[in-house]
Amino acid sequence: MKRIAVLTSGGDAPGMNACVRSIVRSAIYNNLEIYGVMRGYEGLISGDFKKMDARSVSSILTRGGTILKTARCEEFMTAEGRNKAYRSLKKNKIDGLVVIGGNGSFKGAHTLYREHKVNVIGVPGTIDNDVGESDYTIGSSTALNTALHAIDHIRDTVSSMERIYVIEVMGREEAFLAIRVGLAGGAEDVLFPYNTYDIGKMCDDIREGRSKGKISWIIVVAEGAAKAQDVEKVIEENTGYEARSIVLGHVQRGGSPDAFDRILASRMGAASVEGLIKGKTDKMVGIKSDEICFIPLKKASIKDEKKTRLEKELYELTKVLAI
Ligand code: ATP
């Protein structure tokens, strides 16, 4: 192993830069040459590589986003696209590749390994925490805290104006952010995918709550479950009370990574380089009970059942505490 490359793929997540910094400096520390690939799999296909040195990652530890840029790349979903990517890697004499991204990126990385035997290690960088077998992903803690901060601010208005607020949070088809921000923010209810919810029943609860003196409500909606605006409308029509909806949107993706994500990114980045040096491939760096581990990419591409079970438990607790 003489020369490795790193790319960021899928949605950006706070801490991706901290991870790139860790990979670049760990590689140099281990006498490897290191290249950054621009715009994820797009740059792999077009051959957009740039040589990195220790200084090229100065001052990025605290910055959100990714200096390598990221993209969702349709062409990489095709065998021809992956052939081109493989040729770029060969042309640039890259012996190992680190892919920082989410489960989609890992499906791509696994296929690249399967078809071309590329030495590839994944590092989970996604706000959705939707990879298999790893307790956490880089960015999910910061995104959760950012969403919580926003909800705390909204709560001041909710209590003062005696209103019902419906707040939509990111997470694609996942519930990680919605469930946790609901519990941490003291929400009255959370609508999330893979849970059957009954808005009619929710409206009954709101009416009953009002009759018992409960004046303000926060309802968190995962983007994959419903649109906040639609829920707001149903509530107003069914209860006659004034409701407001807010979509937190991309606010949740940006910002400086928190301490947890910086430490996780630094550890996982260094572990990915170490893994490549030791001959590991087709694996994702994960963390379980605060210990670094390596998980087959195929398993890592599918969210594990344990996480879904935990989310349902956290939801039940949210409901108990909302009485
Ligand atoms: P996030 O969780 O932030 O959305 P992600 O990695 O899951 O990140 P995706 O858009 O699902 O984001 O995937 C990123 C890229 O990975 C895609 O644009 C595509 O290039 C590649 N990819 C995804 N799925 C596959 C697949 N089945 N085969 C080959 N490549 C894939």
Side-chain angles (χ1 to χ4, degrees), residues 9-11 39 44 70 83 87 89 119 121 138 141-142 158 182 206 217 220 229-230 254 263-264 288:
S9 169
R39 292 180 184 77
L44 206 55
T70 181
N83 286 342
R87 286 199 291 272
L89 287 166
N119 293 317
I121 297 271
I138 298 164
S141 167
T142 305
V158 170
I206 291 172
W217 289 74
V220 174
Q229 228 179 357
D230 297 340
I263 293 165
L264 186 66
K288 279 188 205 170

Side-chain angles (χ1 to χ4, degrees), residues 39-279:
R39 292 180 184 77
Y41 291 131
E42 249 177 51
L44 206 55
I45 290 172
S46 64
D48 195 357
F49 291 58
K50 74 173 188 191
K51 179 115 194 270
M52 311 286 281
D53 61 34
R55 299 283 73 76
S56 54
V57 289
S58 295
S59 317
I60 66 168
L61 178 63
T62 58
R63 279 165 52 193
T66 158
I67 57 161
L68 297 179
K69 316 284 182 200
T70 181
R72 301 197 197 267
C73 174
E74 281 295 315
E75 197 180 354
F76 196 74
M77 312 276 268
T78 67
E80 184 45 38
R82 292 189 295 273
N83 286 342
K84 283 189 200 162
Y86 175 66
R87 286 199 291 272
S88 294
L89 287 166
K90 283 278 117 192
K91 195 172 152 205
N92 287 280
K93 299 191 168 54
I94 304 294
D95 305 313
L97 174 68
V98 181
V99 172
I100 308 170
N103 59 21
S105 303
F106 298 153
K107 280 181 196 144
H110 171 66
T111 311
L112 192 64
Y113 165 78
R114 202 166 33 79
E115 291 174 348
H116 299 285
K117 292 287 164 280
V118 170
N119 293 317
V120 61
I121 297 271
V123 178
T126 166
I127 63 169
D128 304 332
N129 199 13
D130 57 350
V131 301
E133 306 278 323
S134 178
D135 294 343
Y136 298 104
T137 60
I138 298 164
S140 52
S141 167
T142 305
L144 179 56
N145 281 306
T146 304
L148 181 61
H149 193 61
I151 288 187
D152 285 349
H153 279 225
I154 294 163
R155 181 171 284 289
D156 291 343
T157 299
V158 170
S159 329
S160 310
M161 307 286 286
E162 307 193 339
R163 272 197 190 132
I164 299 159
Y165 263 85
V166 184
I167 303 167
E168 187 178 314
V169 300
M170 273 187 162
R172 303 180 92 189
E173 292 307 311
E174 291 306 323
F176 172 84
L177 281 178
I179 296 277
R180 280 166 178 76
V181 86
L183 180 58
E188 273 65 34
D189 214 335
V190 183
L191 307 188
F192 60 100
Y194 54 83
N195 189 41
T196 45
Y197 52 83
D198 181 349
I199 300 189
K201 161 88 174 61
M202 195 171 76
C203 292
D204 293 344
D205 289 347
I206 291 172
R207 270 194 299 268
E208 198 191 318
R210 282 263 163 133
S211 70
K212 289 182 186 161
K214 197 171 174 71
I215 49 163
S216 53
W217 289 74
I218 286 184
I219 294 147
V220 174
V221 179
E223 69 175 334
K227 286 206 178 314
Q229 228 179 357
D230 297 340
V231 178
E232 171 201 324
K233 231 168 113 192
V234 176
I235 292 172
E236 284 198 335
E237 280 168 9
N238 279 271
T239 64
Y241 300 130
E242 192 178 349
R244 287 274 194 281
S245 60
I246 291 182
V247 180
L248 295 186
H250 282 85
V251 165
Q252 297 154 95
R253 268 200 196 287
S256 181
D258 65 13
F260 183 90
D261 279 332
R262 289 185 206 184
I263 293 165
L264 186 66
S266 302
R267 290 180 72 190
M268 285 183 160
S272 67
V273 174
E274 206 178 298
L276 282 174
I277 292 170
K278 287 188 175 154

Side-chain angles (χ1 to χ4, degrees), residues 1-7 18-35 52 95-100 119-123 264-281 283-286 292-294:
M1 188 77 42
K2 286 200 176 105
R3 186 182 284 183
I4 65 170
V6 54
L7 62 81
C19 189
V20 170
R21 170 181 178 268
S22 170
I23 290 165
V24 168
R25 293 193 173 165
S26 299
I28 293 165
Y29 180 83
N30 285 289
N31 301 313
L32 297 178
E33 282 185 73
I34 170 86
Y35 282 72
M52 311 286 281
D95 305 313
L97 174 68
V98 181
V99 172
I100 308 170
N119 293 317
V120 61
I121 297 271
V123 178
L264 186 66
S266 302
R267 290 180 72 190
M268 285 183 160
S272 67
V273 174
E274 206 178 298
L276 282 174
I277 292 170
K278 287 188 175 154
K280 289 194 194 302
T281 182
K283 301 273 194 297
M284 180 193 82
V285 178
I292 293 286
C293 54
F294 288 86

